[in-house]
C-alpha cells in the first residue's frame, strides 16, 4: 500500500514536469542582427583619387572639367547608380558665367528613407595661398581639396554594387564649390561666392518633393595624419549626426582621426544644405592646428597633389561612412 502510494506520487510528479524543450520560449529569442559592412579597399579609393587628378585641374569651363564629369557619370553608372546630371549656368564672383554640373548617383530612388553622401568635384582656379606669388594665378590639382572625398564616394559606390544598401542613398558631387574670391587680390567681400553648385541644388533639387534625413559632406579627407574636429555649423545644425559619425569612427578604431575638439564654422556645401535645403548636414573636414588658416599647409597651393594623399586616411573616413550606411534603419 505504501509502495503504491509512492508510485502514484512519482507518476504525478513525472507528468507535471514541464517538457525540457519549450517551443514558445525559443521563438521569442531575438536573433542577433547580421549586418555585414563591406570593407573599403584603400588601393581602390586611392586610384579613384588619382584618376581625377590625372585630368588636371577640374575648373568649370575647361576641357579637363568636362572630361572628368564624363568619367564620374560613367563610373557611377557602372556601379548601378541611377544618375542625374543637373546642368546649370551660375555667376562667379567676377561675373563670369560658369557652366556647371552637379552629378547625382541615386541608390533606391523610390525609398523615402534616404541619406546624402557628398563632396565637391571641382578644383580651385587659383593657388592663392602659394608661397610663390608667380604661381598664384594657376589652378590647383586639388588632390585632397576635391578629389579625396569624391574618390572615397566612388569606392563606396563600387561596394554598393556588390552589396546593395537597403536604405536610399544619394551620392552627390557638387560643382563650383571652390570658385570663391581669391585671397591674393584685394577684392571686395562677396557673400555666397563659394559653393555655387550646392547653392543651386539646394534651390532646385533633382526630384520633386525630394527629402533626405541628413547629409554628410566630405572635404579634404585624404591627407596623412589628418584630424577631423567637430566643426561649428555641423554642431549648430546637426550635433546628433556629428555624435553618430564621430562615435562610429571611434568604435572602429579611428579615434586618432575623429577628434572631439569643437572648432570654428566653415562656409562649405553643408552650410547651404542646412540653410536653404533644410537638410541637417555635417562636414567632415580636416583641421590643422599648426597653420593660421587651420586648413593644411598645402591648402590652395601647388602642393595639393597626390603626395598629399594617404590611403589610411581614405580608409578611416570611408569605412566610417560604410558603417553608418549599413547600420542605418
Ligand atoms: C572658405 O574659406 C570660406 N571656405 C572654405 C571651404 C573650402 C574651400 N573647402 C575647400 N576649399
Ligand atoms: Zn578649396
Amino acid at each position: 500500500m505504501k509502495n503504491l502510494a509512492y508510485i502514484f506520487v512519482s507518476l504525478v510528479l513525472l507528468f507535471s514536469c514541464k517538457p525540457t524543450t519549450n517551443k514558445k520560449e525559443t521563438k521569442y529569442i531575438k536573433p542577433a542582427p547580421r549586418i555585414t559592412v563591406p570593407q573599403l579597399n584603400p588601393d581602390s579609393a586611392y586610384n579613384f583619387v588619382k584618376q581625377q587628378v590625372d585630368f588636371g585641374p577640374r575648373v568649370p569651363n575647361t576641357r579637363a572639367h568636362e572630361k572628368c564629369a564624363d568619367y564620374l557619370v560613367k563610373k557611377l553608372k557602372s556601379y548601378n547608380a541611377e544618375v542625374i546630371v543637373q546642368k546649370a549656368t551660375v555667376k562667379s564672383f567676377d561675373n563670369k558665367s560658369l557652366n556647371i554640373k552637379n552629378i547625382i548617383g541615386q541608390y533606391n530612388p523610390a525609398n523615402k528613407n534616404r541619406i546624402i553622401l557628398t563632396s565637391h568635384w571641382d578644383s580651385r582656379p587659383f593657388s592663392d595661398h602659394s608661397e610663390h606669388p608667380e604661381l598664384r594665378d594657376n589652378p590647383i590639382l586639388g588632390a585632397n581639396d576635391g578629389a579625396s572625398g569624391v574618390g572615397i564616394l566612388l569606392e563606396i559606390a563600387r561596394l554598393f554594387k556588390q552589396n546593395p544598401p537597403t536604405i536610399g542613398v544619394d551620392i552627390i558631387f557638387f560643382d563650383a564649390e571652390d570658385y570663391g574670391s581669391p585671397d591674393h587680390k584685394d577684392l571686395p567681400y562677396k557673400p555666397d561666392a563659394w559653393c555655387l553648385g550646392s547653392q543651386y541644388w539646394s534651390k532646385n533639387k533633382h526630384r520633386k518633393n525630394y527629402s533626405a534625413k541628413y547629409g554628410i559632406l566630405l572635404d579634404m579627407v585624404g591627407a596623412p595624419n589628418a584630424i577631423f574636429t567637430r566643426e561649428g555649423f555641423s554642431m549648430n545644425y546637426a550635433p546628433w549626426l556629428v555624435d553618430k559619425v564621430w562615435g562610429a569612427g571611434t568604435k572602429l578604431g579611428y579615434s586618432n582621426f575623429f577628434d572631439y575638439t569643437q572648432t570654428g564654422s566653415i562656409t562649405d556645401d553643408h552650410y547651404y544644405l542646412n540653410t536653404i535645403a533644410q537638410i541637417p548636414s555635417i562636414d567632415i573636414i580636416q583641421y590643422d592646428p599648426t597653420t593660421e588658416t587651420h586648413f593644411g599647409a598645402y591648402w590652395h597651393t601647388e602642393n595639393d597633389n597626390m603626395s598629399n594623399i594617404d590611403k589610411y586616411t581614405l580608409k578611416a573616413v570611408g569605412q566610417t561612412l560604410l558603417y553608418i550606411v549599413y547600420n542605418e534603419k
Side-chain angles (χ1 to χ4, degrees):
M1 199 58 204
K2 233 183 180 182
N3 271 352
L4 259 181
Y6 183 73
I7 288 164
F8 177 75
V9 169
S10 304
L11 283 171
V12 168
L13 281 173
L14 180 67
F15 286 102
S16 68
C17 275
K18 273 189 181 170
T20 50
T21 56
N22 184 333
K23 274 188 184 163
K24 254 189 181 166
E25 254 173 55
T26 50
K27 198 176 159 188
Y28 289 105
I29 291 173
K30 221 180 170 183
R34 259 187 267 281
I35 294 165
T36 43
V37 179
Q39 286 295 309
L40 181 137
N41 178 334
D43 297 311
S44 174
Y46 181 91
N47 188 253
F48 287 136
V49 179
K50 186 170 184 306
Q51 294 290 313
Q52 296 167 75
V53 170
D54 285 347
F55 288 110
R58 282 91 56 220
V59 174
N61 297 355
T62 68
R63 188 78 189 112
H65 181 263
E66 213 168 285
K67 280 189 177 164
C68 186
D70 293 345
Y71 164 79
L72 297 175
V73 169
K74 193 186 87 191
K75 291 315 271 187
L76 285 173
K77 284 186 176 166
S78 79
Y79 298 138
N80 294 349
E82 279 190 42
V83 178
I84 292 180
V85 178
Q86 181 180 59
K87 292 188 192 181
T89 304
V90 296
K91 281 276 161 77
S92 66
F93 70 93
D94 54 354
N95 225 32
K96 277 197 189 100
S97 289
L98 305 177
N99 300 313
I100 65 162
K101 286 177 176 169
N102 292 322
I103 299 167
I104 302 123
Q106 313 166 93
Y107 288 88
N108 304 326
N111 194 337
K112 290 246 174 291
N113 180 30
R114 54 197 313 104
I115 67 170
I116 295 172
L117 304 178
T118 182
S119 204
H120 75 89
W121 73 272
D122 63 306
S123 68
R124 184 156 178 74
F126 321 105
S127 307
D128 44 337
H129 284 258
S130 174
E131 291 180 36
H132 311 290
E134 71 278 13
L135 299 180
R136 290 180 190 155
D137 287 329
N138 297 343
I140 66 166
L141 281 175
N144 200 28
D145 190 355
S148 65
V150 172
I152 289 173
L153 296 179
L154 284 178
E155 170 63 0
I156 287 177
R158 188 182 71 81
L159 295 167
F160 281 175
K161 181 178 184 176
Q162 294 175 3
N163 220 322
T166 55
I167 61 163
V169 180
D170 296 301
I171 293 179
I172 307 185
F173 299 142
F174 287 125
D175 203 349
E177 185 275 343
D178 236 342
Y179 221 106
S181 320
D183 287 333
H184 67 305
K185 290 183 181 153
D186 219 9
L187 295 167
Y189 171 75
K190 187 139 191 300
D192 304 319
W194 302 83
C195 309
L196 301 176
S198 58
Q199 290 188 64
Y200 182 86
W201 181 86
S202 296
K203 294 168 189 157
N204 308 277
K205 299 197 201 62
H206 61 282
R207 279 178 172 255
K208 274 195 254 76
N209 303 316
Y210 178 84
S211 78
K213 277 200 291 191
Y214 61 78
I216 302 175
L217 169 64
L218 306 182
D219 194 4
M220 299 187 272
V221 284
N225 306 308
I227 292 171
F228 308 109
T229 51
R230 299 190 300 163
E231 179 270 341
F233 287 135
S234 306
M235 291 300 283
N236 287 344
Y237 292 103
W240 51 272
L241 182 54
V242 175
D243 277 356
K244 182 167 162 140
V245 173
W246 265 241
T250 305
K251 180 189 149 77
L252 294 174
Y254 303 125
S255 56
N256 289 348
F257 295 95
F258 291 93
D259 184 308
Y260 278 84
T261 310
Q262 188 169 335
T263 53
S265 301
I266 298 168
T267 304
D268 206 343
D269 295 317
H270 72 314
Y271 176 75
Y272 296 101
L273 293 181
N274 280 304
T275 58
I276 302 177
Q278 313 271 353
I279 297 168
S281 300
I282 66 166
D283 197 2
I284 304 179
I285 182 166
Q286 186 190 358
Y287 178 85
D288 188 336
T290 71
T291 64
E292 211 177 305
T293 59
H294 297 309
F295 297 119
Y298 60 83
W299 184 66
H300 294 176
T301 78
E302 66 281 10
N303 298 323
D304 190 3
N305 54 36
M306 286 309 288
S307 70
N308 191 27
I309 299 297
D310 187 315
K311 291 176 187 177
Y312 191 59
T313 306
L314 301 175
K315 171 73 178 174
V317 173
Q319 198 60 52
T320 300
L321 286 196
L322 286 164
Y323 180 92
I324 298 287
V325 169
Y326 288 88
N327 282 282
E328 188 65 39
K329 297 210 172 52

